């Protein structure tokens, strides 16, 4: 509806140019917003205020001219000019309820667009080190990343999801040393325990599995342990595979799947890292100093140059990231989105600088990043910091076990990624209006219950029959609900464009609130007024469909009963 009104306003501006009110086409796109107060109309624009100086008129006078220049249409019922020059629009009954027809016609596809036009986009997320169970921060990344994939698919992009395993480096060596120590009977309290060793209960389980010569399968490999507690290389290989399997199980419990798992170790095995460094050197973007190799990252906007190869040997952590992203570009991903924790912020400039230094045509600002802030878990008003299994942090599996997958996924996406998140276990478990996922799912289940009761009266009570009577939806509660349902496609496209899935969560709360108000104010099934009842049932069923579609974008179920 906003686009249709924008088209009318654009036509009005052309008419004002034609009659001389405007000297030339102002070349502006009308900004239209939904009003917060129904008494101010359904939609509003500040167009007259924006163009007043251009037209050399007062905003209110220009607003009046704009209204006179709007072509005849079936969208606007009435208008008014408010305050300094806002134009408020009240839409017609038919326009308001058209969304109900659209929802019935599109079904599960309602809200989908073709903005992406089938272009490829790679979304990398989670990308945890295979050194322990996934923690709640990984969980937030998984929820946001998967929701981004769903949003991009819904808006016409061809999405490729990828998990980058950091299976190389010192942390992997620390993992192997920890498992070896456990296999030899040592504990974290012993003096011999590795200084940077991992202490969680899972290390005990892993060591026992290794000693038992178990076989593990994870993604692309199957591996059997030798059981030799002194073979550090064998321990490391088995430990990585074992923890990859554990992380895979966590992600399966979270209903998150990936199209590809990419190993950091493959970049070394295939000499990609060395080749990347050689290319940067050949392009004149590196230099030797104090025994280390440096990248001239200041040439590409960094605040200082960065060490690539340390004095004692070995590459710094951003160098394989540059090689990995070159690999993404070479695979044909002209758009790449990385969802990561906020602690990766410092690497963005370095990775982009390295990519620019390769001179391969990679555009500035590539790849895109979505960074999420930390998660604090609370229970009974106290922060929960430890997990028996992980030893030093709360795991994703802990959250799923405590509150269920739906609540976990919803809560982890319900706030902007840029905001720190407090995950309140007690709130997530409560069956109250304060629990947003319960409130939304209950609205969906409520519609399903009403629909079942209506169909018990006979097939002529099917909600679709109400499409012939939508002109009877004149109550404020019905009009308000229909109006918000019509916003769903623009909410989806906006959330996808901004890479902000929390917009979907906020919108669903609004829909649930409007539906509960509608349900409490009006009688949905009245055998003495079947036509009006059918219209209300159609509106309720349209609401159910939007709730289902929106929850699916967040990876949350839409229960038919609660």
């Amino acid at each position: 509806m906003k686009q249709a009104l924008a088209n009318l306003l654009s036509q009005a501006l052309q008419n004002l140019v034609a009659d001389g009110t405007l000297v030339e086409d102002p070349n502006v796109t009308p900004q239209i917003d939904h009003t917060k107060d129904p008494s101010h109309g359904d939609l509003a624009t500040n167009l007259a205020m924006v163009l007043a100086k251009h037209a050399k008129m007062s905003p209110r006078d220009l607003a009046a001219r704009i209204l006179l220049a709007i072509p005849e249409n079936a969208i606007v019922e009435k208008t008014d000019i408010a305050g300094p020059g806002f134009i408020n629009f009240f839409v017609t009954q038919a326009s308001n309820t058209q969304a109900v027809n659209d929802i019935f016609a599109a079904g599960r596809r309602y809200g989908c667009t073709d903005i992406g036009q089938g272009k490829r986009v790679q979304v990398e997320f989670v990308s945890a080190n295979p050194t322990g169970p996934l923690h709640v921060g990984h969980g937030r990344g998984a929820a946001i990343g998967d929701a981004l994939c769903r949003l991009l698919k819904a808006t016409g992009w061809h999405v490729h999801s990828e998990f980058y395993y950091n299976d190389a480096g010192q942390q992997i060596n620390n993992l192997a040393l920890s498992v070896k120590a456990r296999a030899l009977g040592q504990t974290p309290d012993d003096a011999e325990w590795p200084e940077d060793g991992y202490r969680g209960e899972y290390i005990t389980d892993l060591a026992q599995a290794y000693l038992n010569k178990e076989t593990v399968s994870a993604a692309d490999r199957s591996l059997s342990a030798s059981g030799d507690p002194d073979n550090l290389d064998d321990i490391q290989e088995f430990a990585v595979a074992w923890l990859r399997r554990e992380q895979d199980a966590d992600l399966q419990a979270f209903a998150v799947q990936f199209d590809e798992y990419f190993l950091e170790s493959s970049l070394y095995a295939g000499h990609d890292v060395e080749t990347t460094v050689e290319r940067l050197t050949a392009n004149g973007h590196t230099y030797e100093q104090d025994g280390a190799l440096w990248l001239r990252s200041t040439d590409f906007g960094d605040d200082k140059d960065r060490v690539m190869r340390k004095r004692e040997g070995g590459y710094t952590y951003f160098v394989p990231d540059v090689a990995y992203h070159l690999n993404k570009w070479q695979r044909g991903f002209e758009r790449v989105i990385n969802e990561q924790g906020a602690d990766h912020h410092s690497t963005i400039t370095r990775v982009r600088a390295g990519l620019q230094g390769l001179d391969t045509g990679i555009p500035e600002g590539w790849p895109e990043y979505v960074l999420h802030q930390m998660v604090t878990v609370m229970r009974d008003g106290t922060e929960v910091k430890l997990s028996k299994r992980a030893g030093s942090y709360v795991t994703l599996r802990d959250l799923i076990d405590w509150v269920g997958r739906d609540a976990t996924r919803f809560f982890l996406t319900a706030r902007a990624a840029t905001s720190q998140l407090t995950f309140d276990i007690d709130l997530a478990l409560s069956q109250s209006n304060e629990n947003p996922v319960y409130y939304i799912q209950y609205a969906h289940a409520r519609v399903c219950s009403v629909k079942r009761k209506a169909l018990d009266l006979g097939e002529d009570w099917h909600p679709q029959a109400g499409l012939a009577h939508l002109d009877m939806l004149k109550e404020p509660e019905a009009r308000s609900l229909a109006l918000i349902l019509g916003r769903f496609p623009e909410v989806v496209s906006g959330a996808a464009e901004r890479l902000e899935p929390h917009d979907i969560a906020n919108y669903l709360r609004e829909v649930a609130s409007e539906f509960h108000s509608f349900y409490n104010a009006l009688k949905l099934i009245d055998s003495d007024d079947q036509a009006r009842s059918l219209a209300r049932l159609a509106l309720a069923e349209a609401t159910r469909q939007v709730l289902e579609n929106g929850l699916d974008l967040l990876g949350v179920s839409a229960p038919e009963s609660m």
Side-chain angles (χ1 to χ4, degrees):
M1 191 182 305
K2 284 174 68 173
Q3 185 57 53
L5 185 55
N7 293 340
L8 289 175
L9 288 170
S10 294
Q11 183 61 54
L13 294 181
Q14 293 177 25
N15 292 340
L16 291 178
V17 171
D19 70 13
T21 302
L22 297 177
V23 177
E24 58 184 9
D25 187 346
N27 193 28
V28 298
T29 300
Q31 180 180 334
I32 301 169
D33 297 304
H34 293 274
T35 61
K36 295 181 180 180
D37 185 345
S39 67
H40 296 162
D42 301 309
L43 299 163
T45 182
N46 65 347
L47 182 61
M49 300 164 66
V50 171
L51 294 179
K53 185 176 181 180
H54 176 86
K56 298 180 181 180
M57 300 174 63
S58 73
R60 289 185 65 91
D61 287 344
L62 180 56
R65 294 289 189 93
I66 291 173
L67 290 179
L68 290 173
I70 291 178
E72 288 189 17
N73 63 88
I75 298 174
V76 179
E77 183 174 281
K78 67 175 183 176
T79 62
D80 68 31
I81 301 170
F86 289 103
I87 303 175
N88 296 331
F89 298 91
F90 297 79
V91 301
T92 63
Q93 176 72 14
S95 295
N96 188 46
T97 56
Q98 180 57 42
V100 180
N101 286 299
D102 294 342
I103 294 166
F104 271 82
R108 292 296 302 272
R109 294 287 300 168
Y110 183 68
C112 295
T113 60
D114 192 34
I115 295 171
Q117 299 180 330
K119 289 180 286 189
R120 299 178 73 205
V121 57
Q122 188 220 53
V123 183
E124 180 207 331
F125 58 106
V126 183
S127 297
N129 298 330
T131 55
L134 298 178
H135 56 61
V136 292
H138 295 135
R140 191 175 192 191
I144 293 173
D146 190 59
L148 288 173
C149 290
R150 291 166 183 259
L151 277 169
L152 290 164
K153 288 177 183 177
T155 50
W157 290 85
H158 181 75
V159 179
H160 181 89
S161 58
E162 189 156 309
F163 187 125
Y164 177 62
Y165 271 113
N166 300 100
D167 65 332
Q170 185 57 44
Q171 75 275 7
I172 300 299
N173 187 50
N174 292 337
L175 170 67
L177 292 172
S178 304
V179 176
K180 179 181 179 180
R182 273 294 188 186
L184 293 172
Q186 298 172 9
T187 73
D189 296 326
D190 294 338
E192 299 86 355
W193 189 261
E195 182 179 356
D196 296 318
Y198 295 94
R199 297 168 171 265
E201 188 179 82
Y202 69 95
I203 296 295
T204 303
D205 296 340
L206 203 171
Q208 190 60 54
Y210 177 78
L211 292 173
N212 292 342
K213 302 181 180 180
E214 291 184 9
T215 298
V216 296
S217 298
D220 62 345
R221 66 176 62 182
S222 182
L223 183 69
S224 297
S226 69
D228 181 356
D230 293 314
N231 189 332
L232 190 63
D233 290 339
D234 191 45
I235 289 174
Q236 177 173 309
E237 189 175 13
F238 180 80
V240 169
W242 193 90
L243 282 166
R244 285 186 61 190
R245 183 188 65 182
E246 293 298 297
Q247 291 183 354
D248 288 349
D250 290 343
L251 292 169
Q252 289 170 11
F254 209 38
V256 172
Q257 298 177 329
F258 290 89
D259 295 312
E260 185 167 350
Y261 292 87
F262 193 101
L263 303 182
E264 179 185 356
S265 58
S266 70
L267 295 171
Y268 291 96
H271 306 291
D272 298 66
V273 176
E274 292 178 18
T275 300
T276 298
V277 173
E278 289 170 0
R279 185 162 189 163
L280 286 169
T281 300
N283 290 344
H285 297 304
T286 67
Y287 61 92
E288 297 271 356
Q289 181 176 303
D290 301 328
L293 181 68
W294 296 70
L295 173 68
R296 298 183 192 276
S297 52
T298 50
D299 291 346
F300 304 100
D302 202 356
D303 58 347
K304 61 181 180 180
D305 292 342
R306 304 291 177 173
V307 174
M308 295 179 63
R309 188 179 61 240
K310 294 174 282 189
R311 181 187 303 111
E312 61 274 19
Y315 295 111
T316 54
Y317 58 90
F318 85 91
V319 178
D321 281 354
V322 175
Y324 174 45
H325 283 84
L326 175 61
N327 177 281
K328 293 183 181 185
W329 180 260
Q330 291 171 336
R331 280 187 277 157
F333 293 113
E334 293 188 7
R335 187 181 186 193
V336 168
I337 300 166
N338 294 339
E339 202 294 331
Q340 299 174 326
D343 56 327
H344 288 79
H345 184 273
S346 61
T347 68
I348 295 176
T349 303
R350 303 173 201 183
V351 170
R352 286 175 173 168
L355 293 171
Q356 290 301 299
L358 293 171
D359 297 335
T360 56
I362 296 176
E364 292 185 26
W366 188 97
E368 301 169 54
Y369 286 86
V370 175
L371 303 181
H372 66 262
Q373 292 290 334
M374 65 178 292
V375 180
T376 302
V377 180
M378 303 290 290
R379 172 181 271 164
D380 298 326
T382 303
E383 182 178 355
V384 182
K385 294 184 178 180
L386 301 180
S387 163
K388 180 180 179 183
R389 179 158 177 74
S392 60
Y393 57 84
V394 178
T395 69
L396 171 60
R397 185 62 70 92
D398 289 333
L399 286 185
I400 297 173
D401 290 344
W402 292 338
V403 304
R405 185 179 73 199
D406 283 347
T408 302
R409 287 191 67 136
F410 188 93
F411 273 64
L412 290 176
T413 53
R415 286 181 62 84
T418 53
S419 300
Q420 292 190 6
L421 174 67
T422 298
F423 195 114
D424 189 328
I425 299 296
D426 301 309
L427 177 61
L429 289 172
S430 69
Q431 297 184 2
S432 69
N433 293 347
E434 285 70 40
N435 179 352
V437 66
Y438 175 84
Y439 188 62
I440 294 165
Q441 289 182 320
Y442 181 56
H444 183 273
R446 210 172 201 182
V447 177
C448 293
S449 175
V450 171
K451 184 178 177 180
R452 287 192 295 268
K453 291 177 181 177
L455 291 176
D456 285 343
L457 298 176
E459 278 300 315
D460 58 337
W461 278 86
H462 196 285
Q464 189 160 358
L467 297 180
H469 307 287
L470 297 180
D471 59 327
M472 303 183 77
L473 295 175
K474 296 181 178 179
E475 300 85 2
E477 295 84 0
R479 285 183 58 84
S480 183
L481 179 56
L483 188 67
I484 196 172
L485 297 181
R487 285 172 47 198
F488 186 55
E490 70 184 68
V491 171
V492 174
S493 60
E497 180 183 358
R498 294 186 298 274
L499 304 179
E500 295 182 343
H502 69 279
D503 284 352
I504 302 296
N506 292 337
Y507 169 79
L508 291 175
R509 291 188 71 170
E510 291 183 52
V511 172
S513 177
E514 291 289 349
F515 173 75
H516 288 306
S517 297
F518 164 76
Y519 179 90
N520 293 328
L522 305 174
K523 190 174 183 179
L524 270 62
I525 301 177
D526 184 354
S527 56
D528 294 329
D529 195 350
Q530 185 175 5
R532 193 178 305 275
S533 296
L534 287 171
R536 292 172 180 173
L537 287 170
L539 179 56
E541 172 61 14
T543 303
R544 186 207 63 75
Q545 188 67 72
V546 167
L547 291 173
E548 179 186 5
N549 294 3
L551 287 169
D552 184 66
L553 290 173
L554 301 179
V556 177
S557 70
E560 295 187 3
S561 61
M562 292 177 67

